[in-house]
Amino acid sequence: MCGVFGAWAPGRDIARLAYFGLFALQHRGQESAGIAVWDRGRLTTLRDMGLVAQVFSEQKLRGLGGDVAIGHTRYSTTGSSQWSNAQPLVQHGRARTVAIAHNGNLTNAAELREELAARGIQLGSTSDTEVIAALLANEPAPLEQALAAVLPRLRGAFSVAGLADGTVFAFRDRQGFRPLCLGRLADGWVIASESCSLDLVGAEHDRELSPGEAILLDGAGCRSLAVLEPGRRAQCIFELVYLARPDSRLAGVEVYGARVRTGELLAAEAPAEADLVLPVPDSGTPAAIGFARASGIPFSEGLIKNRYVARTFIQPDQALREHGIRLKFNPLGEIAGRRVVVVDDSIVRGSTMRQIVSLLFEAGAAEVHVRVACPPIVSPCFYGVDMPDEDDLVAHGKAVEDVRGLVGATSLAYLSLAGLQRATAQPSSTFCRACLTGRYPTRVPAALDKLRFELAA
Ligand code: SF4
């Protein structure tokens, strides 16, 4: 996943607006950050590896003037973690110069890349985002028509903010996998991956972009283009489970409330005899609150988290991940001698939970009952979330009892798919749930290699 932001706001300190918009989207990507601005016909981009606050200083922001901007926080899916893949990516094409910030994963990027190469257009990075930028930069028509020509050719998941010809544009794939919302400023417009970003910059939430919709933000205001036929809606259910910030609203649902409901339903579906309910902070906290409320078992913080360590899930290699977990949690003394229920939002590889269970037993817990607020993750994601290959998913091909044995818990239970769906308060037909069911809403490549480019770069 990644965070994207865009703003058309003449008279505002545009770089500062983008900076704070991205700051609220930091949870969606911690590897790199960047801002592109358009100032009197000139596009300037500043992007680098690191957190938003590490990449930008007062001095650097002062060098980014103009009325329009886009920005990005990156977490690597397609393309490796390196500077050349930091976004916004810029393409100087035959028709225009384009800057692109992308959240998602194109499933036909390899095909499109070959086609561009056949047209003599070579790309400098391994990211599928550059494919989108190159197609738009080389489409010989005004921007509106260029979008209409290029977007129908893209397959997969994409929520995009772009900048060209002094105009901010944004679009969302036909299924609406990844979120993208529009906000209104007194003097302009903002787009962002999540509503928490609109809140931080003082924008009023206008609406979510519809699946298949493109918008243009410029001196003519906000114009909506229906360039893609909407497909079967397939918003990512994992945004509600883990990815989105709890204070964001997705499709009219506040994420925090949905997560609390998962915990309440989990307590009803898989009760445990215990003395304390504790979360794996912070991602498991709302569900643990719900579990405690519904079960009547007292809530305890239990594990104190060092909040200055980056989210483990988001770091790209296993060595960093293992290291991160050890730095991250310290159990409270009140766990000693108690039977505890530990609640997390999900289990992906199982390595974090195994270490947490072991930490709790070392701290003297008498029993450790693991409760997971979503069903087992059994299949990889092709739509922009770093679910590992099947073999690395701890639940793939295993019974719940086998997973329990692997994590070393006294008992283990997952929320049912029906329970998760109920917690969202929306019909299952509007969601992608492929990582939980193995049933993909679009055609996906036969090889389960998640479309990572095996390029020499
Ligand atoms: Fe989201 Fe899972 Fe679908 Fe990927 S496969 S888009 S993580 S629900």
Side-chain angles (χ1 to χ4, degrees):
M1 59 175 184
C2 296
V4 304
F5 183 84
W8 180 82
R12 294 286 296 264
D13 182 343
I14 198 77
R16 195 170 298 268
L17 195 69
Y19 173 89
F20 283 105
L22 292 179
F23 192 70
L25 298 174
Q26 188 69 83
H27 61 290
R28 297 187 70 87
Q30 301 173 354
E31 289 179 23
S32 66
I35 294 174
V37 294
W38 181 275
D39 191 13
R40 286 162 290 182
R42 194 155 154 250
L43 183 74
T44 308
T45 306
L46 204 161
R47 59 194 174 111
D48 210 342
M49 304 303 286
L51 303 173
V52 176
Q54 293 168 327
V55 171
F56 296 98
S57 62
E58 277 288 338
Q59 196 187 8
K60 285 177 179 164
L61 288 179
R62 274 201 290 273
L64 295 170
D67 294 335
V68 292
I70 61 166
H72 192 260
T73 56
R74 180 164 198 270
Y75 151 78
S76 65
T77 46
T78 296
S80 55
S81 176
Q82 59 193 23
W83 182 87
S84 61
N85 283 324
Q87 298 187 25
L89 282 176
V90 175
Q91 271 284 309
H92 302 284
R94 294 165 191 161
R96 62 182 56 79
T97 294
V98 175
I100 289 277
H102 172 213
N103 173 208
N105 199 26
L106 293 191
T107 52
N108 64 337
E111 262 166 72
L112 294 170
R113 181 176 285 269
E114 273 171 28
E115 181 210 299
L116 284 162
R119 288 163 60 189
I121 300 161
Q122 297 298 336
L123 304 184
S125 81
T126 57
S127 158
D128 55 351
T129 307
E130 199 179 9
V131 172
I132 305 175
L135 288 169
L136 286 169
N138 290 286
E139 187 64 33
L143 182 60
E144 199 168 321
Q145 282 98 305
L147 288 165
V150 168
L151 269 49
R153 305 179 53 213
L154 308 179
R155 299 275 175 272
F158 46 89
S159 280
V160 166
L163 187 49
D165 307 336
T167 297
V168 172
F169 58 89
F171 51 85
R172 203 172 173 201
D173 63 75
R174 351 172 118 77
Q175 279 81 24
F177 284 104
R178 308 258 73 86
L180 193 60
C181 56
L182 176 68
R184 201 184 274 265
L185 294 164
D187 46 3
W189 295 91
V190 173
I191 47 161
S193 293
E194 291 183 34
S195 62
C196 64
S197 174
L198 305 184
D199 296 340
L200 198 155
V201 300
E204 188 189 322
H205 186 272
D206 189 79
R207 63 187 173 84
E208 288 189 10
L209 263 67
S210 303
E213 182 182 7
I215 58 166
L216 299 173
L217 306 176
D218 57 20
C222 174
R223 284 173 289 147
S224 172
L225 317 171
V227 288
L228 295 173
E229 282 286 312
R232 165 199 168 313
R233 200 180 171 105
Q235 56 176 320
C236 169
I237 205 163
F238 211 61
E239 292 276 353
L240 282 164
V241 169
Y242 171 82
L243 302 176
R245 231 171 75 159
D247 51 336
S248 286
R249 297 183 70 80
L250 295 176
V253 174
E254 190 183 59
V255 173
Y256 179 82
R259 289 182 187 164
V260 171
R261 281 194 296 281
T262 61
E264 291 168 349
L265 293 163
L266 186 55
E269 285 186 8
E273 290 277 323
D275 307 308
L276 292 174
V277 174
L278 47 109
V280 175
D282 293 310
S283 57
T285 302
I289 288 170
F291 195 102
R293 267 186 209 162
S295 65
I297 302 170
F299 177 87
S300 162
E301 287 200 52
L303 290 164
I304 299 304
K305 180 180 176 182
N306 181 337
R307 291 196 163 72
Y308 304 98
V309 180
R311 292 174 94 174
T312 56
F313 182 65
I314 223 159
Q315 292 178 10
D317 74 36
Q318 187 64 21
L320 278 173
R321 200 172 289 120
E322 297 277 354
H323 191 57
I325 290 161
R326 277 186 240 115
L327 289 170
K328 212 166 168 180
F329 301 112
N330 207 18
L332 290 176
E334 69 173 7
I335 287 167
R338 306 290 186 92
R339 299 166 302 169
V340 302
V341 177
V342 60
V343 181
D344 205 355
D345 60 284
S346 56
I347 297 183
V348 181
R349 296 169 182 83
S351 52
T352 306
M353 186 53 82
R354 192 177 61 244
Q355 291 178 62
I356 285 171
V357 169
S358 143
L359 202 63
L360 292 170
F361 277 127
E362 277 167 31
E367 294 174 5
V368 178
H369 301 275
V370 174
R371 295 293 179 268
V372 187
C374 88
I377 294 169
V378 292
S379 295
C381 176
F382 293 93
Y383 309 117
V385 177
D386 189 21
M387 299 287 182
D389 296 335
E390 283 176 331
D391 295 344
D392 296 323
L393 292 167
V394 69
H396 177 76
K398 289 193 197 74
V400 172
E401 179 55 20
D402 296 335
V403 180
R404 183 207 63 76
L406 283 170
V407 300
T410 311
S411 75
L412 167 71
Y414 294 88
L415 182 63
S416 67
L417 190 59
L420 174 60
Q421 201 57 61
R422 244 181 95 193
T424 69
Q426 293 171 78
S428 60
S429 57
T430 65
F431 282 97
C432 173
R433 313 186 300 179
C435 51
L436 311 175
T437 63
R439 291 192 296 276
Y440 293 90
T442 66
R443 246 187 62 218
V444 292
L448 298 182
D449 61 1
K450 303 176 67 217
L451 292 183
R452 288 201 173 96
F453 293 122
E454 299 297 335
L455 300 181

